[in-house]
Amino acid sequence: MDTKRLDLNLLVTLETLLVEQNVTKAAARLNLSQPAVSAQLNRLRHEFDDPLLIPAQRGMTPTAKAMELLDPLRQALDQVRATVVSHRNFDPAQAKLTVSIACTDYLQAVVVKPLVVELRMRAPGVRVALRNLDVPQLDAQMARGDVDLALMTPQAASPSLRTRHLFNERYVLIGRRKHPRLREGITVEEFVEMDQVIVSLDGGGFVTPVDRVLADLGHRRNAVLSAASFLFVPEIVSYSDLVALVPERLVRDRADKLMVIDCPFPVEGFAVGMVWHERCHGHGGQRWIREAIVSLMAHT
């Protein structure tokens, strides 16, 4: 490839095509005609000596080489964009902005609560609109502008969306202080005999991935309450002899009411990150909020 002849606009077109995987949608985003984008795609195929995108039943499918190009291409173009717009400084103290965030109630408590406190001090004109997380609809919601930012497991996001890792979470076992049977170093056998609260985000279920782990170990726990929300669990546990496995960050400030101990058997945790659409990527205010979240989570 002769890089001296390579037009930067071609790389912008390639990035958009790889994200949209549809010539018509890419043309709309680039404010170009469909024939113009098709012509640029032909030039890109010649330059990279690869089809890059192959017609499919719905839209186009990227080739292996195209998928390898996406991340380094984005990073390079992001550096160019950052240089071009670096003079447009976002002033949080003066800004008026509403950001729509989709997440579970657990992440509202762990991430959004400290974010709102920070915003009231540093960016009082920034408002936060919370929405329930609907992963199957998230791509469309973000494309329409209904959701600006999602807090979730990044691996569950559509490949067309941008992601950034925030932290890794683990599960801990909680019970009320002075619980008659809960203590450090309990065995799995003791654990499964305790009356337990489980969380079924779909509502009403009594089998979770934890139960499948226990089944592999030859055990079955005594779940007496299935809750649809993690936020309810510490409260009911603190006033009863029920115990529960919950994400650790949810109960870090509950030491006055709860015992928090390690789970007596290996339980897989999960990653938490931010997910956003290309349309929000270069927005100064949105970028500032994402960086504020990163900073907050690095210090908690």
Side-chain angles (χ1 to χ4, degrees):
M1 179 187 296
D2 184 357
T3 56
K4 293 180 180 179
R5 295 190 300 108
L6 189 59
D7 185 348
L8 180 62
N9 289 326
L10 283 180
L11 298 181
V12 174
T13 297
L14 177 57
E15 179 192 38
T16 306
L17 282 166
L18 293 179
V19 169
E20 296 292 348
Q21 298 182 17
N22 183 290
V23 172
T24 302
K25 291 181 179 179
R29 274 187 54 183
L30 293 166
N31 292 317
L32 295 173
S33 67
Q34 184 174 336
V37 173
S38 296
Q40 289 186 346
L41 177 57
N42 286 333
R43 288 180 60 191
L44 286 162
R45 286 167 169 162
H46 174 74
E47 293 290 346
F48 286 97
D49 192 25
D50 186 87
L52 296 176
L53 290 136
I54 300 170
Q57 186 174 3
R58 293 184 178 180
M60 309 184 82
T61 300
T63 64
K65 176 178 279 191
M67 293 307 297
E68 290 175 358
L69 287 170
L70 181 55
D71 283 342
L73 178 62
R74 274 181 162 174
Q75 292 173 16
L77 290 175
D78 284 348
Q79 288 183 331
V80 174
R81 294 180 184 118
T83 301
V84 171
V85 303
S86 60
H87 66 286
R88 301 174 187 171
N89 294 323
F90 175 75
D91 183 358
Q94 302 296 323
K96 301 293 182 183
L97 176 67
T98 298
V99 58
S100 177
I101 300 177
C103 60
T104 63
D105 58 353
Y106 150 68
L107 288 172
Q108 289 178 19
V110 171
V111 181
V112 179
K113 183 172 72 171
L115 172 64
V116 171
V117 173
E118 182 82 358
L119 291 176
R120 300 320 303 152
M121 294 186 294
R122 297 179 57 196
V126 175
R127 305 186 303 176
V128 175
L130 291 176
R131 297 178 60 108
N132 291 328
L133 179 65
D134 185 350
V135 175
Q137 295 298 318
L138 185 61
D139 205 339
Q141 289 173 338
M142 288 189 159
R144 291 195 304 265
D146 295 338
V147 174
D148 299 314
L149 184 68
L151 304 170
M152 57 185 287
T153 301
Q155 292 84 349
S158 165
S160 66
L161 299 175
R162 289 180 175 263
T163 64
R164 183 167 180 178
H165 179 269
L166 288 174
F167 58 87
N168 293 319
E169 182 62 288
R170 72 180 191 120
Y171 287 98
V172 292
L173 179 59
I174 63 170
R176 69 172 175 86
R177 298 198 67 80
K178 298 184 180 179
H179 190 288
R181 299 166 66 189
L182 190 62
R183 56 177 173 76
E184 289 284 359
I186 66 167
T187 65
V188 179
E189 289 76 13
E190 292 170 320
F191 167 80
V192 297
E193 291 299 319
M194 296 181 184
D195 293 341
Q196 299 187 30
V197 186
I198 67 171
V199 175
S200 171
L201 297 180
D202 296 331
F206 280 88
V207 177
T208 73
V210 170
D211 296 281
R212 288 187 277 274
V213 172
L214 286 170
D216 290 342
L217 297 173
H219 296 287
R220 180 178 179 181
R221 61 176 169 170
N222 186 31
V224 300
L225 174 62
S226 173
S229 164
F230 273 115
L231 296 189
F232 167 75
V233 176
E235 192 70 16
I236 186 65
V237 164
S238 67
Y239 288 101
S240 69
D241 285 341
L242 298 173
V243 299
L245 288 172
V246 298
E248 183 180 26
R249 288 178 181 241
L250 184 64
V251 293
R252 280 187 175 174
D253 59 352
R254 305 284 186 102
D256 58 327
K257 291 186 176 182
L258 296 172
M259 287 184 61
V260 181
I261 67 174
D262 290 336
C263 183
F265 57 96
V267 176
E268 185 177 2
F270 56 94
V272 172
M274 298 183 295
V275 177
W276 65 96
H277 194 273
E278 193 70 28
R279 68 175 185 81
C280 292
H281 185 64
H283 188 282
Q286 298 281 353
R287 186 188 302 116
W288 184 89
I289 288 169
R290 293 194 298 268
E291 292 302 323
I293 292 174
V294 170
S295 179
L296 284 169
M297 292 301 100
H299 295 92
T300 58

